Amino acid sequence: TVELDQKVYTWTDKVYITIVAPDHNFDSGLVDEIGNTSSDPIKVSTRGNELENYKLVESGADTGIFIGEVTLAGFAHDADGDSSTGTDGNDVSDLSGGSSGSGPTEGKLATTDNDGLTVSFEFSEDETVVGSALIRWNIGEVQWLEASYPASGTGVIRVIDADMNS
């Protein structure tokens, strides 16, 4: 089976992948790997981008449970409206997008709004298992922390925007 930790992700989330494949536990004394060969490929993809032959590692010796993670990278854009900060990764409010990595933890996968995520594992020549989820943008929320403030006081607001958790 292919299991993802959520059914819906925001476009900058981290995706935790679990594949239960006891028949790929080849050596009970070692931590095995799957996905990084042409005989048992794992593909992590959105509608427009993909990571092929993505490697997952066994969660421990002799478990047959393989784990890994991919970070959804959004797409290249100027999130803070300041063109001088660029999208080179030095400013966390600007996202560079792009897809890279071979697993099990350094994968980045570009996404868009109203996208989908699919993880497929070809565990034998004729059989493939698939797990999938949705990718959605969230609308930010602004809240006053108190119901009212005195005219001479200071108001405090809270901004909640899961999409900016990059």
Side-chain angles (χ1 to χ4, degrees), residues 26-95:
F26 298 121
D27 189 331
S28 62
L30 295 176
V31 172
D32 294 303
E33 299 176 350
I34 60 171
N36 55 344
T37 67
S38 59
S39 62
D40 66 348
I42 294 174
K43 181 166 70 171
V44 183
S45 60
T46 59
R47 290 186 182 108
N49 300 283
E50 64 184 34
L51 300 172
E52 292 192 64
N53 292 337
Y54 199 75
K55 175 177 71 175
L56 299 184
V57 295
E58 200 169 11
S59 62
D62 204 28
T63 65
I65 300 171
F66 298 85
I67 57 174
E69 59 192 53
V70 172
T71 301
L72 302 179
F75 61 94
H77 69 287
D78 184 4
D80 64 359
D82 182 354
S83 61
S84 68
T85 60
T87 57
D88 60 3
N90 292 328
D91 183 349
V92 296
S93 63
D94 290 341
L95 298 174

Side-chain angles (χ1 to χ4, degrees), residues 148-155:
S148 63
Y149 293 94
S152 61
T154 301

Side-chain angles (χ1 to χ4, degrees), residues 4-23:
L4 304 175
D5 65 313
Q6 298 182 66
K7 293 185 185 304
V8 180
Y9 294 94
T10 187
W11 57 294
T12 57
D13 273 343
K14 186 170 283 193
V15 178
Y16 294 95
I17 304 165
T18 303
I19 294 181
V20 180
D23 55 334

